[in-house]
């Protein structure tokens, strides 16, 4: 799969990274874009509707 993505010049984003072991294995396989519980748990909708939270996030973009 990774070879196909390389041929097509596409990035791989691994989803569902939950442990450091998952992260290490992905790095060994040449994948460097990932998301999952290891990095951050899902937030409640109230977190995203909070105007202060939204204002802080938009400054990062």
């Amino acid at each position: 799969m990774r070879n196909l993505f390389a041929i097509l010049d596409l990035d791989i984003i691994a989803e569902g990274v939950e442990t450091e072991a998952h992260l290490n294995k992905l790095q060994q396989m040449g994948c460097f874009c990932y998301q999952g519980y290891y990095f951050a748990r899902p937030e409640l909708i109230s977190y995203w509707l909070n105007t202060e939270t939204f204002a802080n996030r938009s400054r990062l973009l």
Side-chain angles (χ1 to χ4, degrees):
M1 215 36 176
R2 189 172 55 131
N3 292 337
L4 176 61
F5 279 83
I7 291 168
L8 297 174
D9 194 29
L10 297 172
D11 293 324
I12 299 170
I13 301 174
E15 188 168 331
V17 180
E18 296 185 7
T19 66
E20 188 172 359
H22 291 162
L23 176 63
N24 292 336
K25 185 62 173 177
L26 287 164
Q27 290 172 337
Q28 290 172 2
M29 294 170 60
C31 181
F32 298 100
C33 295
Y34 12 73
Q35 66 182 34
Y37 281 1
Y38 180 73
F39 303 101
R41 297 259 178 204
E43 296 288 347
L44 296 174
I45 190 69
S46 57
Y47 173 82
W48 296 107
L49 294 176
N50 179 323
T51 55
E52 183 178 328
T53 300
F54 185 75
N56 290 336
R57 290 261 180 199
S58 62
R59 275 189 262 147
L60 297 175
L61 302 176

